[in-house]
Amino acid sequence: MSLSGLPLIGVVACNQQIGLHPFNIVGEKYLLSVVNGAKGFPLVIPSLGVDVPIDAILARLDGILFTGSPSNVEPHHYQGPASEHGTHHDPKRDAITLPLIKAAIDAGIPVLGICRGFQEMNVVYGGSLYQKLHEVGTYIEHREDKKAPLDVQYGISHPVNLVAGGLLHDAWGCDTAEVNSVHTQGVERLGEGLQPEAFAPDGLVEAFSVKNAKNFALGVQWHPEWKVTENAFYTAIFEAFGQACRQHAATQVR
């Protein structure tokens, strides 16, 4: 694959213990969605839990994808109650993603947040999260059946209503779309400066964009990276993201 003309898109890794060693890992579906959906080339950004040269990273990238993850944002970042014992957290990821999101958006770097990335964006802008939507009592079931085959877990689950005039509505050209639903947490309080882009039938915010952002800045609660080329709506999301990344790349002298 030639890198000539391809935007370089950072993909944030999760820090995960595998056996006796910590690893930085990214699901292949996210890397392939950058290649096949956004038509860019992915570069993994490790979550090492140390100070990172954010400005130097941003100077070399044309976009950043903040992925989903089995882990949750530690609730002290949004003044939430302590998580239930055994909840999977990734403080080393929190340490890089939370400052990196704001810095990237402020610098005009295109950003797409998926699931955990969507939740990270909400927290960065002062929002809060429900840790267990299914215990709130006012929402439909948003969790997947973990015993089902992957194609069922990531299959279409419910419609979303797109906000007219929004970034998503413009990319898709319709008022509604069908999405998968593979999440336990969700937006409790929407962050300041975020505007809803899509709602689930139960009223839950399922997507938002950043008001007055210099460039593409979108978060979605569902997983459009799943078989991105086989779902026209998911393809439209990544095409819009990729186009913003290419436009940014065209303005850079490296």
Side-chain angles (χ1 to χ4, degrees):
M1 176 186 293
S2 171
L3 295 183
S4 177
L6 290 179
L8 299 179
I9 300 176
V11 184
V12 174
C14 295
N15 193 291
Q16 183 172 323
Q17 190 80 14
I18 302 177
L20 298 177
H21 299 278
F23 283 76
N24 270 262
I25 59 175
V26 176
E28 186 176 79
K29 59 180 180 171
Y30 296 107
L31 303 177
L32 289 176
S33 68
V34 167
V35 173
N36 298 322
K39 306 301 182 186
F41 190 81
L43 297 176
V44 176
I45 302 174
S47 294
L48 300 176
V50 297
D51 289 337
V52 295
I54 287 180
D55 290 344
I57 291 172
L58 296 181
R60 289 163 171 80
L61 295 177
D62 302 308
I64 304 181
L65 173 62
F66 293 88
T67 68
S69 171
S71 68
N72 295 320
V73 178
E74 288 194 309
H76 69 82
H77 290 295
Y78 53 90
Q79 292 75 54
S83 299
E84 182 179 280
H85 179 71
T87 299
H88 186 189
H89 292 131
D90 188 346
K92 290 185 177 180
R93 171 166 167 154
D94 291 346
I96 185 171
T97 55
L98 300 183
L100 186 59
I101 285 169
K102 188 66 164 56
I105 293 172
D106 286 349
I109 307 295
V111 163
L112 175 59
I114 293 174
C115 202
R116 190 194 210 270
F118 162 90
Q119 294 162 7
E120 289 168 340
M121 290 176 71
N122 189 50
V123 169
V124 164
Y125 283 89
S128 62
L129 303 172
Y130 289 117
Q131 295 187 42
K132 293 184 176 181
L133 278 172
H134 56 283
E135 293 184 356
V136 176
T138 58
Y139 295 104
I140 61 176
E141 180 59 80
H142 286 269
R143 296 174 296 173
E144 76 280 20
D145 179 358
K146 294 184 182 297
K147 297 180 180 179
L150 276 180
D151 279 339
V152 175
Q153 292 186 38
Y154 283 85
I156 296 302
S157 178
H158 63 74
V160 288
N161 298 312
L162 307 186
V163 177
L167 191 160
L168 263 182
H169 190 276
D170 288 348
W172 181 228
C174 299
D175 295 333
T176 62
E178 299 283 335
V179 301
N180 52 36
S181 191
V182 191
H183 62 104
T184 301
Q185 300 200 321
V187 169
E188 178 185 36
R189 180 183 68 254
L190 190 64
E192 185 177 352
L194 302 180
Q195 54 190 9
E197 290 276 344
F199 293 92
D202 55 15
L204 184 69
V205 175
E206 288 267 326
F208 53 67
S209 56
V210 180
K211 295 178 183 176
N212 304 317
K214 299 175 183 177
N215 213 323
F216 185 103
L218 176 71
V220 299
Q221 182 62 85
W222 60 89
H223 284 264
E225 83 286 353
W226 180 254
K227 296 187 176 180
V228 62
T229 60
E230 298 179 21
N231 182 301
F233 179 51
Y234 299 172
T235 300
I237 293 171
F238 272 93
E239 284 182 343
F241 175 51
Q243 179 61 24
C245 295
R246 281 187 290 278
Q247 290 174 349
H248 180 269
T251 68
Q252 304 304 299
V253 177
R254 297 189 175 113

